[in-house]
Amino acid sequence: MSDDPGFAALEEVGIAERDKPPFVRLPDPATLFDRRAARFAALALGHQLEAYLAFLGGVSQAQAVLTATIGAPDMPSPGDLRMRAGNAMPLLPREELAADPAVSEAFDRLAILLADVAMPDLAREALARAVAAGPEVRQAMFAAVLADAVPVEAVAEHIFAAAALQVVAAGRSALLDPALPQPVADGVCPCCGGPPVASAVVADLHVEGVRYVQCSLCAAQWNHVRVKCVSCGSTKGIAYHEIEGIADTIKAETCDECRTYVKILNRRKAPELEAVADDVASLGLDLLVTEAGWRRAGVNPFLLGY
């Protein structure tokens, strides 16, 4: 149990995993961003971050429209994919996207779709700057997002860049053979090599009660046993923390070995939970956990300023 009065911590109790659940669940871009937009809209009502959540709902809806209108992305050859899988490498390394013309095109089309989305003047100005940026500046912007190295003074521009990258990355991962991705390393997406945004105990048929970690970039999900650190793989010193008085469907899983945490969502209790949206809406939990000495291991493109 945590000694911090701001938390209610769960006891470290293991729950048996299902027999051989699928290692990877690939994203479905046709529903991914629509579902996320709807969740942001539902979370925004009466929330302390209402304006920001509503804005992100608009961004997600624009992503959904973009997904439905862009062509299929280019993919590596089957031989290259098999080679990468055989060498425990991400199949679609995210670094490749920085110079991919499809990402810049997706960004331009997304900017047009965002014209009718309500946003603060500062965000609108940041979007205009990013649209007007030359090829080298834009490529550097994409590279910064992909490297999790966004400059604090330019967070707004990079949020829009991340939104375009998500669409292209999800489209690429969706085309993979689901039997091909193999474990790469702790906290690394086997599809694109991206970091996690959060994890969830799912309630889907045949995998009910199984835990999956979701990629912050392409939204692929990979199986990860419970009561095990997503970041370092340790099974020691794992604890679960929640904000007292708040629904216990979202917790922070902390690891005393590496002093990091990743949120875990319980879709068995609340099937409507969505990794990216609910991660943003539960920012208060991040504040409490980081104040207690743990470092966030997950990445959320819509929390780049945090």
Side-chain angles (χ1 to χ4, degrees):
M1 300 293 289
S2 171
D3 293 329
D4 192 306
F7 301 127
L10 293 180
E11 293 182 0
E12 301 176 18
V13 179
I15 301 176
E17 295 291 321
R18 293 294 185 266
D19 291 337
K20 296 183 179 178
F23 172 57
V24 165
R25 306 204 307 176
L26 299 177
D28 177 11
T31 60
L32 173 67
F33 298 108
D34 268 326
R35 182 173 180 271
R36 184 173 297 164
R39 184 58 177 161
F40 268 126
L43 288 166
L45 299 174
H47 197 283
Q48 288 182 325
L49 300 175
E50 182 171 357
Y52 187 54
L53 294 173
F55 161 64
L56 294 179
V59 172
S60 298
Q61 191 57 57
Q63 289 176 294
V65 175
L66 177 61
T67 297
T69 57
I70 60 174
D74 292 333
M75 295 287 287
S77 69
D80 284 344
L81 292 174
R82 288 193 296 270
M83 180 277 293
R84 292 170 180 175
N87 287 278
M89 299 167 59
L91 302 183
L92 303 167
R94 58 180 179 156
E95 295 81 7
E96 298 175 346
L97 293 176
D100 190 336
V103 177
S104 190
E105 179 184 352
F107 181 84
D108 285 331
R109 296 178 68 172
L110 182 66
I112 294 172
L113 293 169
L114 290 171
D116 296 327
V117 173
M119 64 180 75
D121 289 342
L122 289 177
R124 185 73 64 189
E125 293 166 4
L127 178 59
R129 288 194 300 272
V131 170
E136 291 185 0
V137 173
R138 187 175 291 189
Q139 183 174 331
M141 185 169 59
F142 295 142
V145 172
L146 295 168
D148 306 319
V150 174
V152 176
E153 67 276 8
V155 165
E157 291 95 321
H158 288 78
I159 286 177
F160 298 119
L165 284 161
Q166 281 185 326
V167 170
V168 177
R172 280 161 54 93
S173 289
L175 296 178
L176 291 170
D177 177 346
L180 197 56
Q182 302 297 316
V184 175
D186 290 316
V188 176
C189 173
C191 294
C192 75
V197 59
S199 66
V201 177
V202 301
D204 308 40
L205 185 65
H206 305 308
V207 290
E208 195 270 340
V210 176
R211 181 192 194 183
Y212 282 91
V213 180
Q214 181 166 316
C215 177
S216 60
L217 181 65
C218 75
Q221 300 174 24
W222 64 97
N223 181 232
H224 189 85
V225 300
R226 296 164 70 173
V227 198
K228 180 179 180 181
C229 178
V230 171
S231 183
C232 75
S234 175
T235 57
K236 300 178 181 178
I238 304 297
Y240 298 86
H241 307 272
E242 61 186 299
I243 299 177
E244 292 181 349
I246 303 297
D248 65 351
T249 53
I250 303 176
K251 303 181 187 298
E253 180 183 79
T254 58
C255 173
D256 286 342
E257 292 294 301
C258 66
R259 300 301 296 176
T260 68
Y261 73 94
V262 170
K263 290 177 186 172
I264 181 166
L265 286 57
N266 191 338
R267 292 204 184 105
R268 300 171 78 186
K269 292 185 176 181
E272 70 276 8
L273 293 173
E274 199 282 326
V276 171
D278 281 277
D279 182 42
V280 176
S282 59
L283 180 59
L285 180 57
D286 293 277
L287 298 176
L288 287 174
V289 175
T290 54
E291 286 177 2
W294 283 281
R295 175 176 55 83
R296 181 182 170 99
V299 172
N300 191 322
F302 297 142
L303 287 175
L304 291 175
Y306 171 70

